[in-house]
Every structure is written in C-alpha cells, then in structure tokens.
Amino acid sequence: MSDDLKKGLEGVLVAESELSSIDGDAGRLIYRGYTIEDLARGASYEEVLYLLWNGHLPTEAELEPFTEALMDEREVDDDVLETMEKLAAADERPMAALRTAVSMFSAYEPEADADPEDLDATLRKGRRITAKIPTALAAFERYRLGEEPVDPHPDLGLAANFLYMLTGEEPDDIAAETFDQALILHADHGLNASTFTSMVIGSTMADIYSAVTGGISALSGPLHGGANQDVMEVLIEIDESDLDHREWVEQATAEGRRIPGFGHRVYNVKDPRAKILQERSKELAENGEDKWYNYTTTIEQFLTEEKGLVEKGIAPNVDFYSGSVYYQLGIPIDMYTPIFAMSRAGGWIAHVLEYQDDNRLIRPRARYTGPQDQEFVPLEER
C-alpha cells in the first residue's frame, strides 16, 4: 500500500466510469461517448438525463414516457413550499434553501422503504428529485419577491418550465433553448468535488436524497460553485465604473486582481462549454442588450492574447460565459449556483447508481502526524 500523500486526491484514480470524460489538453468533454457540442446543439436536457441514467440516447418512443414521468413528479408538498416561504422570509441563502428542500423531499417519498440495493427504485427516487428541484427553487425565488409560486406548466420541458415558474411568463424560444443548453453543459463533469461527495455518500448505501443533499452542500463552497456569480458581479462593477471595460481590466490586472472565470483544475485550454455559451451569449445580444457579450469577449481577448494566459494554460472556463448568459435571461445572480445544482443533480444521481452497481465502501487513509507516547494525567492532577 503506497504511503505517497496526494493532497486533494490530485491524480488519484478511485473509480471507473462510463458517464463522462474530460481531455483537458484538447478541450474535449464527452458524455457516454457523445461530444458535448453534439449534445448541446442537438439534444434536450431530458435526452441527456436519459443518456446518463440509461446508457443510450432515447428513441422518440422512449423519450415521451420518460418526459411525461418527469412532468408527473414536478409538484412538491405544501410543507416544502411553506418551508421555502419561511426560509425566504429569513433571508436564507438560495443554496441552503435548496439543500433543505431536497432533504425534505424524502419525507414524502412513496418508496421510502425500498431496499437500498434496489437500484431501479433509487433511479425512480432520483427522477423525483430532479423533477422537483426546479419547482422548489422557483418557489423560493418567488417568495423572496413577495409573490406566490407559479404552478408547473403541463406542456413545457424542464428548462422552459423553470423559467416560466420563475417569472410567470412563458420564455421565448431563444431563452428556452439557451437555458436548456446550459443545463446540458452542467449535467456532468467527471469526479469533481460535489460528484465525489455524492458518490462517497452513495457508497455507504445511504439513500439518494442524502447523496444529492451532500452534493449540494459540496457545491455551495466558493472553491467549487459560485464562480459565475463572481464573474457577473465583476461585469456589473465594470459597467458601473467610469472606465472603459478594457481600461478597467488593465488597471485591475496591474493591481494584481484576479479576474474570475479563467483557469480550471482540468482544462489547460478554453473550456468547450464556454465556447458554446459564448455563442448563446452572442445570440442573446443580437436580440437584446449587447454590452455583456462585448465585455466578456473583449476581456477574453485581452487576457488570453495580450496577457498571454493561454500560454500559461489559463483560459476561460464555463463560468466566464454562463454568468452573463444567465443575467441576460433575467435570472438573479445568487441563483446561479443553485441552477448549477439543478442541472448537476442528474449527474450526481447517475454516478451514485453506477457506483452502487458494483459498490465498495469508500474509505481512504490519513497519515497520522500528531504526538506519540503521551503520558496520561488524571483529571484532578492536570
């Protein structure tokens, strides 16, 4: 057994997976063999969920009942809505509210007593979680605005329905397609911190509600989720300054300030998901306000070409463009990470199912570095 210390499990293989693969040098991401470009431009989020959970893209005959099953599970219990209202009134953070909601879902699970090794039942539970997260999240935001929740729309897909429940208005085709693509892009991404957390919990044969709640908790940390919120806050700061956006970035970098949305633990080139969202940002700009697209493209060009970040292996990641895309869709900034969780829940569920199919309790070691041979002194003599 090796005693080499791998801080942060850097480069350590802990599992085999057929779900997703990342080539950080080529800027390539695949889900079950399909490139992210093909899936984002040709499939729906529901199709990608089916692919991750079932191993193949659905036929029309398979997709229809799958989508209907998701739609049938969208409603959440009144107790969950009441809790969302109380958390909104208490000014709770959206990620914490989402964590609470998913944990509460289990109280109303019709298959709560299913055998933990019944993976078909686990998948059905995961489907319910995935269907209900948008409803609970949209309700929380409505309560924060002092408005009543909007019931799920019976004819809209998951992405369009979330935007509908958030605003009370059906999104146009561009908005719906853009958000659907964003969900696809965030559905899975190897063994990142939140996915690994979910998998560790799943390895104990805890229920899928526990695993997804754990994933949400891990994603809430600023070193994992939240970078797209940071990007948008910087863009707003630039917009409100007296400087041209290029001048602002030049001054900020000269002062040693880091611009969020650049660099990735895995990618050494531009994140392929960022390229797709950049296209969507441009399309949104052509049909609305263009300054956010202009800001991001100019900043990318300045930092990568003139500052030479590409040569250093630092390029835009998915968060650099997702922040402005969500903002153009009218989504509140502090909802960006919960939306990430809404999408990634599908990937967490897939990884738990895959791991539990050939389960072994995850139990790493730690090297002890504390004192040895301490002499015990009774309490009355200390």
Side-chain angles (χ1 to χ4, degrees):
M1 186 177 292
S2 173
D3 286 327
D4 293 341
L5 178 64
K6 298 288 187 178
K7 199 78 171 183
L9 297 181
E10 182 82 33
V12 176
L13 285 173
V14 299
E16 293 181 325
S17 177
E18 297 180 355
L19 295 170
S20 64
S21 176
I22 307 162
D23 185 333
D25 294 323
R28 177 177 166 84
L29 171 63
I30 62 172
Y31 295 168
R32 290 194 182 274
Y34 294 95
T35 68
I36 194 62
E37 291 84 359
D38 285 345
L39 292 173
R41 293 170 182 144
S44 66
Y45 181 63
E46 284 84 352
E47 288 176 78
V48 169
L49 283 179
Y50 191 100
L51 171 68
L52 291 174
W53 293 350
N54 295 284
H56 65 275
L57 285 171
T59 63
E60 289 184 357
E62 291 170 328
L63 182 61
E64 183 177 354
F66 178 79
T67 302
E68 288 178 354
L70 280 168
M71 289 179 171
D72 289 343
E73 302 286 1
R74 286 175 176 173
E75 298 285 348
V76 300
D77 192 89
D78 288 344
D79 289 346
V80 177
L81 293 178
E82 290 174 9
T83 299
M84 293 299 98
E85 185 174 18
K86 291 176 181 177
L87 292 176
D91 199 27
E92 179 62 285
R93 294 161 297 149
M95 278 296 277
L98 179 59
R99 180 192 64 210
T100 300
V102 172
S103 188
M104 282 190 73
F105 291 164
S106 69
Y108 310 98
E109 169 54 56
E111 297 183 88
D113 296 329
D115 187 329
E117 296 186 4
D118 184 348
L119 299 189
D120 289 334
T122 297
L123 178 54
R124 290 191 295 270
K125 293 176 184 179
R127 185 187 68 211
R128 295 181 186 110
I129 293 171
T130 305
K132 294 178 190 304
I133 282 177
T135 307
L137 198 54
F140 175 75
E141 175 58 21
R142 298 284 294 183
Y143 283 130
R144 287 204 302 178
L145 297 173
E147 300 174 352
E148 288 298 307
V150 175
D151 291 335
H153 195 294
D155 300 320
L156 295 178
L158 192 146
N161 179 60
F162 175 73
L163 296 178
Y164 167 74
M165 291 189 296
L166 200 65
T167 64
E169 299 179 0
E170 289 190 38
D172 61 32
D173 290 344
I174 293 176
E177 290 170 6
T178 298
F179 192 60
D180 191 73
Q181 273 195 340
L183 295 182
I184 291 170
L185 298 177
H186 287 89
D188 196 44
H189 207 243
L191 286 192
N192 50 79
S194 57
T195 300
F196 187 61
T197 298
S198 296
M199 207 169 75
V200 170
I201 295 171
S203 80
T204 72
M205 298 309 294
D207 68 17
I208 195 66
Y209 291 94
S210 299
V212 173
T213 301
I216 293 169
S217 300
L219 186 61
S220 69
L223 295 185
H224 187 13
N228 50 8
Q229 178 176 338
D230 296 338
V231 169
M232 198 61 227
E233 288 172 349
V234 164
L235 294 178
I236 291 173
E237 184 179 344
I238 292 172
D239 188 55
E240 294 176 348
S241 76
D242 295 328
L243 298 175
D244 173 84
H245 54 283
R246 181 188 173 93
E247 295 173 338
W248 189 96
V249 175
E250 287 180 342
Q251 180 175 304
T253 53
E255 294 171 352
R257 184 170 175 179
R258 180 179 174 275
I259 306 300
F262 282 80
H264 194 278
R265 186 76 170 261
V266 179
Y267 293 112
N268 299 313
V269 295
K270 188 171 181 176
D271 188 329
R273 301 168 299 172
K275 294 179 181 179
I276 296 169
L277 285 176
Q278 184 178 14
E279 295 172 3
R280 301 307 304 202
S281 179
K282 181 179 181 180
E283 187 172 357
L284 289 169
E286 291 171 348
N287 291 273
E289 195 170 35
D290 64 359
K291 64 180 177 180
W292 307 112
Y293 173 75
N294 293 336
Y295 289 171
T296 51
T297 52
T298 302
I299 291 169
E300 177 186 350
Q301 182 181 25
F302 173 70
L303 291 178
T304 57
E305 296 180 10
E306 297 188 33
K307 289 295 183 179
L309 291 188
V310 171
E311 287 75 16
K312 300 175 183 178
I314 301 173
N317 58 45
V318 67
D319 296 309
F320 186 66
Y321 280 98
S322 66
S324 58
V325 165
Y326 291 159
Y327 196 80
Q328 288 169 283
L329 292 174
I331 298 172
I333 293 175
D334 64 355
M335 293 288 279
Y336 294 177
T337 306
I339 286 170
F340 188 163
M342 183 171 77
S343 169
R344 185 59 59 83
W348 295 332
I349 292 161
H351 278 275
V352 170
L353 288 165
E354 182 181 55
Y355 192 81
Q356 288 183 338
D357 191 46
D358 184 23
N359 193 65
R360 182 170 176 79
L361 178 66
I362 296 175
R363 204 313 189 178
R365 298 184 306 140
R367 179 184 299 150
Y368 178 70
T369 60
Q372 301 279 355
D373 303 321
Q374 293 274 61
E375 182 178 349
F376 179 78
V377 179
L379 178 62
E380 63 273 12
E381 297 178 19
R382 292 178 208 159

